[in-house]
Amino acid sequence: MSKNLVIVESPAKAKTIEKYLGSDFTVLSSVGHIRSIAKKTKDGTPPIDVSNNFNTTYEVDVEKKKTITELKKATKIAEQVWLATDEDREGEAIAWHLCEVLGLDPTKTKRIVFHEITKTAIEEAVKNPRTVDMELVQAQQARQILDRLVGFELSPVIWQKVPGGKSAGRVQSPAVRLLVEREREIQGFEGSFQFKVTAEFTQSGETVKAELPQRFDTEEEAQSFLDSLKDATFSVSDVTTSPGTRNPGAPFTTSTLQQEANSKLSFGARATMSSAQKLYQEGKITYMRTDSNTLSGQAIAAAADYIKSAFGEEYSQVRQFKTKSSSAQEAHEAIRPTDMSAERGSSNEYDQKLYDLIRRRTLASQMAPAKLEKTVVTITISTSNKTFEAKGEVIIFPGFLKVYGAGKKDPDILPAMSTGDSLQLEHADARQTFARPPARFTEGSLVKKLEELGIGRPSTYATIINTIQVRDYAEKGEGEGDERDVITLGVTPGNDVVREVVKEKTGADRGKLVPTAIGMMISDFLTEHFEQIVNFGFTAEVEQDFDQIATGALARNVMLDKFYQPFHKLIEGAGDIDRSKVAQSTPIGTDPKSGKMIYARFGRFGPMLQLGDTESEEKPTFAPMPKGSRIETVTLDEALRAFQLPRLVGETKDGLPIKANIGRFGPYIQVDKLFVSIKPLDPHDITLEQALEVYAEKLKTEAEKNISDFGDGIKVLNGRYGPYITDGKKNAKIPKTQKPEEITHEQAKQMLSDAPAAKTKGRFAKRTTTKKPAAKKTAVKKATKPKTVKATRTVKK
């Protein structure tokens, strides 16, 4: 064992750092966080004792006990321990927890930080150690305590009062509210249209595209104008040329990296951060959680040297961008490559794409502006006082566009023209254009909005977006849009106007974040009863409070008390909330066959239809909400059609009935005990021929899936990740050296016996088997005496 023990967060980071330190250093990893707030204490006091200055009890995570044992052994042997966890608040908190668990003095133990994993940065950090920054630790504790209190006290209220509600979070709830408010804007959008006129001319054999600056409100106006062009002559009345420049953007912060990776690479926020983490741990980029736009002097000099060498002196322009974020506490520098000249950052194609984006953006920020020449040609019409405009752009000097930001579409380049030149009209068209509703958020645009509002911080954006999708409060859209009719009018010289109706897609939501029905209900519930939790300004103010704690300007407990007291009062009053009013049933109309009322309402899995009253002797029947319909808009005809299911489509060759229906996961057919998805077919319209085709394909898949069936429930199957053995309750992997088709019954039983027991995952896994107490009592009880595993240590702050 070496004299020096360095503890970092990840094994990958440990390997990289160990290369740069000599044989006197051993580098080990904590593998992330090692302790969490306990869920239960030995003496029965609350893990977060609100009445005792928010005194908090922590416990070592079960899966980290082995890691802690190894670290303790190494700590006893080492002469000097160095804590080298990440330089943000989370990293500082991990360093403090390591001190607590390993018996180190946080006021004396050496703490080193670096924003890039290079030999120079590591050596410099070792030369300049500090101790654990307790103000940063307290800022992290404040966030963790607040989030735990909100989750433990508010979530039970959600379970009791909102059908299908899973949880509510301090930061995820405002994010859901943003999605819901945007969706309501889209739903309430009143469409309008105008007619846009474009024309194509020729001049000296070259094509000139032009557009009429004005739009027409009616088809008649557009047709009248096109009629006037049939016998018109056209000439150039003015040519205006003006120089222009385009400047590069700043190097990436966490937020702008997530936005640009989403826009240019279609990476989600979580995938972007995962990829960036790998690049950082391998020493390819600087620390990836940062609010800062600045670059170090060394990085600027390295970029300038590379740019001059690769492109020429005229392409280099040194810049230092000012950080917009007032907090900018997550790190000291923007995200950049550690080696500006290295074009390859990873052998992984996915990670390489992100590396290339980061490198190009960094280089572009230190390059000269692009110089452009913009030209506008005004074209007069002999039969009208209106004029066409042709616009073109020429890149005189590409500057930073050499490496970043050049558009996919080349700009229109106009032929040389002078005042008085005549042009020949080839054709002119008027196309109906519709006003667009507000766009749904993508992951990138939601990150941008959260940042603008001051909600969350670089380390939390990806988690927020992932959580709201995991909780089913929002989902990624898959729709390609619906077709609509578009009127087009066209004219050529000497001919009449031709009218045509074409189709175009509208309302596509593929890749966009769409709030679910339950997400909308949760948001409405919180807005009405817990406005503090979803208030954008209040949430941003809390983030600013964390920043103040990090600088020592605000005491942790003062901030926690300011938030908790009014919040807890709302929780105590939650028992008075009427669940029936949260998810009210909306009468749709009467079923003409039975005379029963049909209602639209929320159920456990979202919106649905109910035929009959719950109070009547005869139990009501239910049907899923028709696709595209909402509780407030579904019509009686749509509801009656929904209750036509399940529908008997026909029979198989064996005489088994085929039923079509819609379930929780979409449309399907059922044959005996076999359920087969029929997406995108409609169960109301699917034919027997289509159903038999889908059924046959499923039988073929099932046959290929079954390698062996021993008759007692034990089977050898082909799975998504390869062949495996199952008895329906337990699965066992098959070694690669073993041929699945040669496995005997006895071998299969032995493999199942040796396989580990299946684990129940998920915070809500047991909810269906436990009865919930009343909301008011639950809320208070959950906050004071939650249940879980044993605590190890109590820390007073």
Side-chain angles (χ1 to χ4, degrees), residues 260-273:
E260 199 77 343
N262 186 247
S263 172
K264 283 188 161 53
L265 306 177
S266 299
F267 285 11
R270 196 179 187 192
T272 298
M273 294 310 293

Side-chain angles (χ1 to χ4, degrees), residues 317 514 553:
Q317 181 171 320
V514 183

Side-chain angles (χ1 to χ4, degrees), residues 35-43 45-60 93 96-97 100 137-149 152 556-557 560-561 564 783-784 786 790-797:
R35 293 203 304 177
S36 306
I37 297 174
K39 299 189 178 81
K40 184 180 181 182
T41 62
K42 286 181 178 179
D43 59 7
T45 57
I48 301 172
D49 195 347
V50 175
S51 61
N52 187 20
N53 294 319
F54 295 91
N55 183 48
T56 306
T57 304
Y58 295 92
E59 64 183 357
V60 173
W96 175 75
H97 281 293
E100 292 288 307
V137 173
Q138 291 205 1
Q140 189 274 346
Q141 288 176 344
R143 178 189 293 278
Q144 191 180 34
I145 290 169
L146 213 56
D147 289 348
R148 171 64 72 90
L149 288 171
F152 265 54
R556 188 198 77 169
N557 291 349
L560 289 172
D561 198 60
Y564 181 73
T784 56
K790 84 178 189 181
T792 58
R793 189 164 184 174
T794 300
V795 181
K796 294 183 180 181
K797 294 308 302 173

Side-chain angles (χ1 to χ4, degrees), residues 236-258:
V236 176
S237 62
D238 186 38
V239 179
T240 304
T241 302
S242 58
T245 58
R246 194 182 304 170
N247 288 301
F252 285 129
T253 62
T254 305
S255 166
T256 54
L257 175 63
Q258 290 175 1

Side-chain angles (χ1 to χ4, degrees), residues 407-575:
K408 293 179 182 177
K409 181 185 174 185
D410 292 330
D412 290 326
I413 298 175
L414 299 174
M417 287 181 279
S418 304
T419 302
D421 285 355
S422 295
L423 290 91
Q424 176 64 44
L425 176 69
E426 294 299 315
H427 62 85
D429 303 285
R431 184 181 179 93
Q432 187 180 23
T433 58
F434 296 84
R436 293 183 178 182
R440 288 186 175 93
F441 286 105
T442 60
E443 288 198 14
S445 61
L446 182 58
V447 166
K448 184 178 181 181
K449 189 66 178 177
L450 290 170
E451 186 182 38
E452 285 174 3
L453 293 170
I455 296 172
R457 283 293 181 265
S459 58
T460 62
Y461 296 137
T463 304
I464 293 167
I465 291 171
N466 180 61
T467 300
I468 62 178
Q469 293 177 78
V470 169
R471 298 290 184 231
D472 293 327
Y473 294 160
E475 59 190 9
K476 285 276 186 73
E478 297 181 350
E480 299 292 352
D482 301 315
E483 285 192 340
R484 68 179 172 196
D485 292 338
V486 178
I487 300 168
T488 63
L489 306 171
V491 68
T492 52
N495 296 310
D496 291 333
V497 175
V498 176
R499 183 183 191 271
E500 189 179 358
V501 177
V502 297
K503 301 284 186 183
E504 73 174 11
K505 288 285 184 72
T506 181
D509 60 14
R510 178 172 287 277
K512 306 291 180 65
L513 290 170
V514 183
T516 60
I518 185 61
M520 297 180 84
M521 190 185 349
I522 284 279
S523 183
D524 291 343
F525 174 80
L526 292 175
T527 302
E528 182 177 353
H529 300 287
F530 296 91
E531 204 273 339
Q532 173 191 23
I533 294 298
V534 291
N535 183 285
F536 303 137
F538 181 80
T539 307
E541 186 182 324
V542 170
E543 294 292 347
Q544 292 164 9
D545 286 346
F546 293 147
D547 295 341
Q548 286 191 293
I549 295 170
T551 61
L554 179 64
R556 188 198 77 169
N557 291 349
V558 170
M559 179 267 171
L560 289 172
D561 198 60
K562 184 179 75 170
F563 176 96
Y564 181 73
Q565 294 306 329
F567 167 71
H568 188 65
K569 284 182 181 177
L570 292 174
I571 294 293
E572 289 181 316

Side-chain angles (χ1 to χ4, degrees), residues 365-409:
S365 75
Q366 300 303 308
M367 293 178 73
K371 294 179 181 177
L372 316 169
E373 185 178 82
K374 298 179 180 180
T375 303
V376 179
V377 177
T378 305
I379 302 168
T380 57
I381 308 164
S382 63
T383 57
S384 173
N385 59 0
K386 291 180 170 58
T387 58
F388 280 104
E389 284 185 353
K391 296 180 179 179
E393 185 177 274
V394 177
I395 298 174
I396 305 300
F397 173 66
F400 78 93
L401 294 178
K402 270 274 189 184
V403 299
Y404 195 90
K408 293 179 182 177
K409 181 185 174 185

Side-chain angles (χ1 to χ4, degrees), residues 724-738:
Y724 67 99
I725 300 167
T726 184
D727 61 1
K729 296 177 181 178
K730 196 176 180 183
N731 297 339
K733 285 184 178 179
I734 297 174
K736 291 182 179 179
T737 54
Q738 178 84 51

Side-chain angles (χ1 to χ4, degrees), residues 6-12 14 27-32 67 71:
V6 180
I7 304 177
V8 297
E9 284 173 79
S10 73
V27 186
L28 296 179
S29 164
S30 69
V31 197
T67 301
L71 290 175

